Amino acid sequence: MTKVKVRVPATTANMGPGFDTLGMALKLYNEIEVEEISGKTEIYNGGLRSEEDFRENLIYKSIVSAMNEQGYSYNGFKINVLKCDIPMSRGLGSSSACIVGGITAANAIMQNKMDMEDIIDLATKIEGHPDNVVPAALGGMVISIKVGEDIKHSKVNVPDKLKFVAMIPSFKVSTALSREVLPKSYLKEDCIFNTSRSAMLISALYNNEFDKLRICFEDKIHQPYRKGLIRNFDDVFKKSKDLGSIGEFISGSGSTLMAVVDKNAEKFVSSMKNFLNELEDTWKVILLDPDLQGARVLN
Ligand code: HSE
């Protein structure tokens, strides 16, 4: 029976003002292997169970959703999580990686019955919003818009000089909780604040106007309400600016904080590590480039 191996990148969503709209794939990956079997589904994750179970289930649910949607009949699967470098519940798209990975594997088993738009629409339906799943599927930085049940998307060129520093704390923030803390409605001024910044963010990236990026990463739709869920948020943002970043934002719904740098990235990382080592929680710092490939079948 067919056995497929799929690699899916991490993603950083919102990117400041682009709530539920902007997202970018990063060179940090999960890999899964899926085989259709005649018996019951078996799930392996290097012997790990507990919290990993939920993610494995999301892979399984996504495989099954894709196959049901296409009217493909199946028995069970052997799902093997080969690599799990994307940390969970840290705002780096771990659930999107499971969803896009599961659908991509199912599609390969079904001899590519789904096209990319089918994959994106189904992944968004499972995830609820498109800003992680679309870049996870396509790679690069992407603007995604929901039009009824369909997703329209457009890629944004990210200048090569820009590097992304993920500062990942030991504590998690659940997407459900971080969506609950958001208000039901917003002032017109706050909407203008965000629409103006997300529009200029795209043109500033296009024109290499790095001096404008700091204001373009500002946001009044989600970050002011979520920062209370992330200990030392203000201290880390301030330190990042002092160390010469050109902007920072909460990655997705957190808890990861992302700094954008255009020079001396290695130095930034080592100074930031020293600073974070003094804080109450343990923080990991990873220097990342955008991934331009998106989800890939490897065999
Ligand atoms: N746009 C989503 C949010 C990303 O901020 O809630 C998290 O998955």
Side-chain angles (χ1 to χ4, degrees):
M1 292 233 193
T2 331
K3 192 195 269 189
V4 295
K5 204 190 270 187
V6 174
R7 186 183 79 166
V8 194
T11 43
T12 184
N14 301 326
M15 303 186 76
F19 183 69
D20 277 3
T21 303
L22 297 179
M24 186 177 67
L26 297 163
K27 286 189 175 170
L28 181 71
Y29 301 98
N30 282 2
E31 271 177 32
I32 58 167
E33 188 174 64
V34 180
E35 183 181 4
E36 197 181 358
I37 55 173
S38 49
K40 278 209 269 175
T41 293
E42 303 164 19
I43 301 174
Y44 302 91
N45 186 14
L48 290 175
R49 304 304 299 179
S50 67
E51 68 170 6
E52 271 72 18
D53 282 353
F54 167 66
R55 300 300 177 197
E56 290 161 7
N57 281 336
L58 200 49
I59 297 169
Y60 174 71
K61 271 194 222 159
S62 306
I63 294 171
V64 165
S65 300
M67 293 188 167
N68 286 342
E69 195 181 81
Q70 296 300 319
Y72 181 94
S73 60
Y74 51 85
N75 289 304
F77 308 97
K78 201 182 266 181
I79 301 170
N80 209 343
V81 180
L82 301 174
K83 181 170 167 177
C84 196
D85 286 351
I86 308 173
M88 286 179 226
S89 304
R90 302 299 202 290
L92 287 166
S94 66
S95 58
S96 293
C98 294
I99 295 167
V100 171
I103 299 174
T104 304
N107 194 36
I109 291 170
M110 295 187 292
Q111 312 285 331
N112 301 315
K113 285 175 107 174
M114 303 170 82
D115 64 20
M116 185 51 83
E117 300 315 310
D118 297 330
I119 293 174
I120 284 174
D121 290 348
L122 177 60
T124 305
K125 209 190 284 175
I126 299 172
E127 176 78 328
H129 42 84
D131 48 337
N132 288 104
V133 292
V134 180
L138 295 175
M141 179 175 168
V142 193
I143 308 166
S144 306
I145 302 178
K146 250 181 159 175
V147 185
E149 292 294 299
D150 291 339
I151 302 300
K152 300 290 173 207
H153 49 84
S154 180
K155 274 209 181 184
V156 180
N157 260 337
V158 180
D160 287 344
K161 267 187 98 177
L162 295 186
K163 306 277 171 214
F164 296 83
V165 182
M167 296 164 290
I168 310 166
S170 45
F171 56 87
K172 301 176 177 181
V173 170
S174 87
T175 299
L177 171 67
S178 64
R179 288 182 86 85
E180 265 170 37
V181 298
L182 303 181
K184 292 261 176 293
S185 58
Y186 291 91
L187 288 173
K188 184 164 72 182
E189 293 78 47
D190 290 351
C191 297
I192 296 169
F193 187 98
N194 270 59
T195 49
S196 56
R197 277 158 181 77
S198 49
M200 195 182 284
L201 174 56
I202 307 308
S203 70
L205 288 172
Y206 184 77
N207 296 325
N208 283 282
E209 295 166 322
F210 295 173
D211 56 321
K212 296 192 178 125
L213 288 178
R214 173 160 297 285
I215 51 161
C216 292
F217 285 124
E218 290 173 343
D219 152 72
K220 286 200 176 178
I221 298 286
H222 70 112
Q223 295 189 162
Y225 307 98
R226 288 171 163 175
K227 61 188 241 177
L229 302 171
I230 303 172
R231 265 186 303 281
N232 296 112
F233 172 96
D234 286 323
D235 307 317
V236 177
F237 267 36
K238 181 176 180 311
K239 186 67 186 176
S240 171
K241 190 177 176 189
D242 291 348
L243 289 174
S245 73
I246 52 178
E248 43 280 317
F249 51 84
I250 298 180
S251 183
S253 54
S255 52
T256 294
L257 302 179
M258 192 70 77
V260 187
V261 292
D262 66 337
K263 48 183 174 289
N264 305 325
E266 305 289 345
K267 172 117 194 346
F268 181 97
V269 168
S270 65
S271 307
M272 183 53 85
K273 276 185 182 166
N274 290 339
F275 169 76
L276 295 172
N277 278 342
E278 301 299 314
L279 301 183
E280 175 188 346
D281 301 286
T282 306
W283 292 70
K284 225 167 129 179
V285 184
I286 316 181
L287 180 60
L288 294 164
D289 280 310
D291 161 277
L292 300 179
Q293 293 197 313
R296 278 280 171 279
V297 176
L298 298 177
N299 48 344

